[in-house]
Amino acid sequence: MRVRPCSAALPLLVLVASACGGGGPSPASLSYGLPDPATVTYQQGDTVTIDIDAGGQAMQARVATLATLDASFTRAADGVQVTLTYRDFSGRVSQPMGPPVTGDASGIEGPLVFTLDRRGRAALVSAPELSGTAEQFVQPLPTAHNFFPRLPGRAVSVGESWTDTIRFDGPSGPGDVKG
């Protein structure tokens, strides 16, 4: 599954000027810092269609999620600590071999807390307790690593693009997740 970063991350981006060896300022580096205001609300939605080949019989499963998350930001040693609280959540899996499976916020207890360094590398601090069908829809570790886009850690020009590889692994529900 591909998770798209939330474009609403822009309030969290700040430009930081640093001094160079010549004594003058260098171009501003794109980095994360404490936003003002330090509380915002995000809406995150995703839809995934899975093509299944079951012994020559083709079928599709569809997974759709929509979440409203309250976010608060505080200073951390090397960047920002992010606390995401699920205000509302809905999920639905539809597939031809059975009835739809749905989930809601009632199975999510507590916030997702992680830190971001100035480039956006995440470290999980704590995850919400998940129960019922919420365990099938909410993935705290991938959310922490994919919610905000990674930054290049240098000055960028208008229209410039960059790529980064995000790798993580750790416990997730009854198993482990690797991304």
Side-chain angles (χ1 to χ4, degrees), residues 20-99:
C20 64
S26 67
S29 293
L30 191 59
S31 64
Y32 285 102
L34 191 62
D36 182 20
T39 58
V40 294
T41 299
Y42 293 100
Q43 273 203 324
Q44 180 184 45
D46 200 9
T47 302
V48 177
T49 301
I50 304 165
D51 292 317
I52 303 167
D53 181 356
Q57 183 176 352
M59 61 183 95
Q60 285 188 335
R62 184 171 181 252
V63 181
T65 59
L66 180 62
T68 301
L69 300 127
D70 291 326
S72 62
F73 305 92
T74 56
R75 291 195 195 288
D78 187 31
V80 178
Q81 180 169 294
V82 181
T83 301
L84 296 178
T85 303
Y86 286 84
R87 179 191 302 177
D88 193 28
F89 178 82
S90 64
R92 180 181 177 91
V93 176
S94 303
Q95 48 89 17
M97 301 301 288

